[in-house]
Amino acid sequence: MTDALTMETRRSERGIAGLLIVQAVAYVLLISLSVFVGLGIVPIEAVVVAALAVVVVFLVCWPLRGTMVDRIISLVTAVLSVAMATTILGEITMYPVVSAQEAMRNITKAILYPYGRWAAAFVILLVVSTIVGFARQMAREHRTHLVRALSHSLTSGVVSASVAGWVFLPDLMVYVQSGSQKVNIALTIVIGVGLILGIAMAAASCLWWKEADPDPLMPAPWVGFALIPVLLFGLVSYGMSLTMLIIFGW
């Protein structure tokens, strides 16, 4: 009863406005840095640091039910996902990098390489995190709330792995500066779809928060919950950039 009252008090104190403000601040930070990276003002590491910072806040303000082990696994998943997208680790573990000769013959294939590499890494990370999460639950002596524990474990894995998709958003700036009418029309449609998806996820998070059941001992779990759509939007960012690349073959 005490836990329930505490949770209701937190909901009434923060409300939906608090969720939306946190999301807006995180979106502005990541999108602004992505634009600056695309314009060559700051390096891609700026987006990487910001994305991982959002993950850290998500883990500190843990909005799910789980142990410290769950949060450590989520952090490792996020770091590996970002590393697969931005460092030589992806080239070593996935498949050989496109050679300079092959890149000259097929520049589209060379540019698509990081997208395919991270997609493969993302799937592998999800499979591994699912297996690890299931094994951990099966190893428990008392398997109370098994379904909730499994679903929260899978959610944290997907959310953490998705954050790396933000590093692909700066690629859209290539099309913003193209000056082509066809490119601008396609870009407007792609960004419009991304905006609609972002609004839909924000609306869904407001509905989900009403039914959420985070650990009442966690500090500001509403902040962590608000960041779930932001982290998941990494997949949308990846999809937007990949769509433009496939359409125009740049």
Side-chain angles (χ1 to χ4, degrees):
M1 178 66 71
T2 302
D3 288 354
L5 290 175
T6 303
M7 199 64 248
E8 286 302 321
T9 300
R10 290 189 180 188
R11 291 185 210 278
S12 61
E13 288 176 349
R14 305 303 177 184
I16 301 304
L19 295 179
L20 297 179
I21 290 173
V22 170
Q23 288 178 23
V25 170
Y27 277 126
V28 168
L29 172 64
L30 290 168
I31 293 174
S32 298
L33 287 176
S34 296
V35 171
F36 293 151
V37 171
L39 294 175
I41 298 176
V42 297
I44 188 63
E45 286 77 12
V47 175
V48 171
V49 171
L52 291 178
V54 173
V55 173
V56 170
V57 174
F58 165 72
L59 297 177
V60 171
C61 303
W62 187 245
L64 306 171
R65 291 283 183 165
T67 64
M68 180 60 70
V69 175
D70 293 293
R71 285 188 275 176
I72 292 174
I73 291 175
S74 296
L75 179 60
V76 171
T77 300
V79 171
L80 285 176
S81 182
V82 171
M84 292 292 187
T86 59
T87 71
I88 196 173
L89 180 63
E91 299 171 5
I92 296 173
T93 56
M94 291 297 102
Y95 41 85
V97 67
V98 177
S99 65
Q101 294 79 5
E102 189 174 5
M104 290 297 292
R105 290 194 302 268
N106 191 338
I107 190 170
T108 300
K109 181 177 180 180
I111 298 176
L112 273 171
Y113 173 80
Y115 288 84
R117 182 184 66 196
W118 183 71
F122 179 78
V123 172
I124 292 173
L125 285 172
L126 289 190
V127 170
V128 172
S129 63
T130 299
I131 293 174
V132 171
F134 187 79
R136 288 185 62 240
Q137 298 306 319
M138 292 300 100
R140 290 168 54 191
E141 182 178 357
H142 303 290
R143 301 188 186 96
T144 55
H145 304 293
L146 180 59
V147 174
R148 184 185 69 182
L150 279 173
S151 63
H152 284 203
S153 176
L154 291 175
T155 298
S156 63
V158 173
V159 168
S160 300
S162 299
V163 68
W166 277 101
V167 304
F168 296 96
L169 191 62
D171 292 351
L172 283 181
M173 290 306 298
V174 173
Y175 308 102
V176 172
Q177 303 173 71
S178 71
S180 168
Q181 184 176 5
K182 290 183 179 180
V183 172
N184 289 337
I185 292 174
L187 184 62
T188 300
I189 295 173
V190 168
I191 292 178
V193 172
L195 181 62
I196 291 173
L197 290 175
I199 294 174
M201 288 194 293
S205 69
C206 294
L207 295 176
W208 295 337
W209 176 241
K210 295 178 181 179
E211 304 297 330
D213 182 32
D215 187 341
L217 299 179
M218 288 293 102
W222 63 276
V223 173
F225 197 89
L227 293 177
I228 290 179
V230 178
L231 297 174
L232 285 175
F233 196 83
L235 294 178
V236 179
S237 301
Y238 171 85
M240 290 165 62
S241 297
L242 180 60
T243 298
M244 291 298 294
L245 179 57
I246 291 175
I247 293 174
F248 295 102
W250 289 3

